[in-house]
Amino acid sequence: TNIYVCKQDTDGKIKWVKTVRTYVDLFVRGSGVALDGLGGVYTTGSFLGEFDFDPGAGVHTLGKEDETNAYIWKLSTDGEFRWARTLGGDGASFGFGIAADNSGNIYGTGAFFGTRDFDPGEGEFNLSSGDHDDIYVWRLDALGNFQWAGAMGGSGSPPFPRKAVRASGLEITRDDPALGEAYARLVRARRSDSPPGNGHEPVPMEE
């Protein structure tokens, strides 16, 4: 399987189509798209194995053999490759929602298990799940640099988040009100640039 991003004009005519590349029969899925208001186009989802996320002449390979990872992929308004990021560490991660705030920060949401490194750069920011999948919120800046990440889990496997949408600031939504509130708590408590710590501790509510 593969994914693509397609831009159309107001008459429905295709302006461009971009996709990722792999050299074997592997799996990649797109689960959400967001715009940052400055021409940036962001996609999130999950992939298994290694993929080249640069749709042009360059090569930008992410992933490991037999490992499932969440990704965030940025293109320009003209479909030019900007960057792509994924998680490190052990276990697996899944991307299901994405949003951009008014400052150009990118919020990815999804689920993970094991110990995952949410800093795609040279630094390290590990979060570990419990016995089941945990939910996460992951923030990058417009250049793809790590800002913060937080996680929340419990005694059972949470339902996957459906989507993240841009509203006034950021709102994480789902049909399940409890899960939507859990994401909102993570976002409100970690909206500042202060170190978020490990999100398994109780997250205080903020008005």
Side-chain angles (χ1 to χ4, degrees), residues 9-30:
D9 63 20
T10 55
D11 295 323
K13 295 181 180 179
I14 294 176
K15 306 291 288 184
W16 50 258
V17 178
K18 303 295 178 179
T19 186
V20 301
R21 293 191 296 267
T22 186
Y23 305 103
V24 295
D25 186 17
L26 296 175
F27 166 84
V28 62
R29 176 172 63 184

Side-chain angles (χ1 to χ4, degrees), residues 34-60:
L35 305 176
D36 64 7
L38 301 174
V41 182
Y42 302 86
T43 306
T44 193
S46 312
F47 68 106
L48 171 66
E50 296 183 355
F51 280 83
D52 176 13
F53 281 82
D54 188 340
V59 176
H60 188 89

Side-chain angles (χ1 to χ4, degrees), residues 31-148:
S31 300
V33 176
L35 305 176
D36 64 7
L38 301 174
V41 182
Y42 302 86
T43 306
T44 193
S46 312
F47 68 106
L48 171 66
E50 296 183 355
F51 280 83
D52 176 13
F53 281 82
D54 188 340
V59 176
H60 188 89
T61 302
L62 296 178
K64 298 179 181 179
E65 184 179 358
D66 298 327
E67 182 175 274
T68 301
N69 280 304
Y71 68 84
I72 294 179
W73 180 33
K74 181 178 181 179
L75 303 174
S76 72
T77 188
D78 296 319
E80 298 298 321
F81 175 73
R82 290 294 181 256
W83 50 258
R85 302 289 187 263
T86 188
L87 306 183
D90 299 319
S93 57
F94 310 89
F96 286 90
I98 192 167
D101 67 18
N102 296 327
S103 299
N105 298 304
I106 308 307
Y107 299 79
T109 68
F112 76 103
F113 66 85
T115 297
R116 306 299 288 170
D117 179 9
F118 282 80
D119 187 342
E122 296 181 357
E124 186 176 88
F125 190 89
N126 291 324
L127 292 175
S128 297
S129 68
D131 295 333
H132 300 276
D133 295 350
D134 282 4
I135 60 176
Y136 69 82
V137 177
W138 178 34
R139 190 176 93 170
L140 305 176
D141 67 17
L143 298 177
N145 298 313
F146 174 73
Q147 298 294 295
W148 54 252

